Amino acid sequence: KGPQVAVTAVAELRARGISAQLTLLGSVFAGYEWFEEDLRRRVADLGLAEQVEFVGFDPDIWAYLSRTDIVCVPSIVDEPFGNTAVEAMLAGRPLVVSDTSGLKEAADGFETVRFVTPDDPVAIADAVQSFMAAWPTVVDHVAGDREQAERRHAPSAYAEALIGALGANGYRSST
């Protein structure tokens, strides 16, 4: 969903004299192995082999989030809903995220979210650098964002909103 943009952002940060590490969590769909090969080649060509780690698919994302400073969701196309963005907020991590419909829905209104133009590695690097420049303030706000994410995205909140929407549209439960 845009790891090539994140890789290029790491190269941009390095060009600015900023050291950054990128962990790519996830794997390609069957038939798209060529994409990963191209991405690995790009990492090598940019001299980022020490800065970019490919970990593949792991259903336990929380272990990775716990040792991450900033989460980046560099999607280059619209998504139906940004679960990854919500997971970053629930983990109490600042988030750099593409300004697309589903990601905006998931991450709008949080202090520690920076929306960037899709497919723009310079914008990602700028957002990371802005977090770094204000790190004490960012750290102060992540706990509040995590609490807000828990309230906004809790299953009970979804159930309540769904029941309200159904009731507003004339649905009546038979129970």
Side-chain angles (χ1 to χ4, degrees):
K1 297 183 178 182
Q4 70 278 18
V5 184
V7 166
T8 305
V10 171
E12 173 67 22
L13 287 165
R14 185 177 64 184
R16 298 177 186 188
I18 298 169
S19 177
Q21 299 291 124
L22 176 65
T23 301
L24 296 173
L25 179 60
S27 57
V28 298
F29 292 111
Y32 288 87
E33 292 80 8
W34 60 268
F35 182 83
E36 183 177 343
E37 292 167 10
D38 286 353
L39 189 58
R40 287 179 181 275
R41 193 170 16 263
R42 174 113 174 105
V43 166
D45 290 348
L46 290 170
L48 297 174
E50 297 297 316
Q51 287 76 36
V52 178
E53 178 184 19
F54 290 79
V55 296
F57 175 78
D58 189 333
D60 181 16
I61 60 154
W62 304 106
Y64 294 95
L65 288 172
S66 72
R67 59 180 186 257
T68 297
D69 293 318
I70 299 170
V71 174
C72 181
V73 184
S75 295
I76 57 175
V77 296
D78 279 336
E79 294 189 24
F81 185 76
N83 287 326
T84 306
V86 172
E87 291 162 346
M89 295 290 91
L90 291 174
R93 297 299 182 258
L95 174 66
V96 177
V97 63
S98 292
D99 193 5
T100 64
S101 60
L103 293 170
K104 280 195 289 194
E105 179 186 357
D108 193 35
F110 293 97
E111 294 287 327
T112 58
V113 173
R114 300 293 179 272
F115 289 99
V116 297
T117 303
D119 207 11
D120 187 346
V122 172
I124 292 172
D126 290 346
V128 169
Q129 196 167 4
S130 79
F131 276 139
M132 293 172 63
W135 195 249
T137 302
V138 171
V139 170
D140 285 346
H141 287 123
V142 293
D145 279 355
R146 184 182 60 245
E147 290 170 8
Q148 180 181 341
E150 288 171 353
R151 284 189 307 274
R152 185 192 297 179
H153 299 293
S156 59
Y158 279 116
E160 189 175 309
L162 179 61
I163 290 167
L166 291 171
N169 288 304
Y171 176 80
R172 301 288 179 243
S173 173
S174 61
T175 58

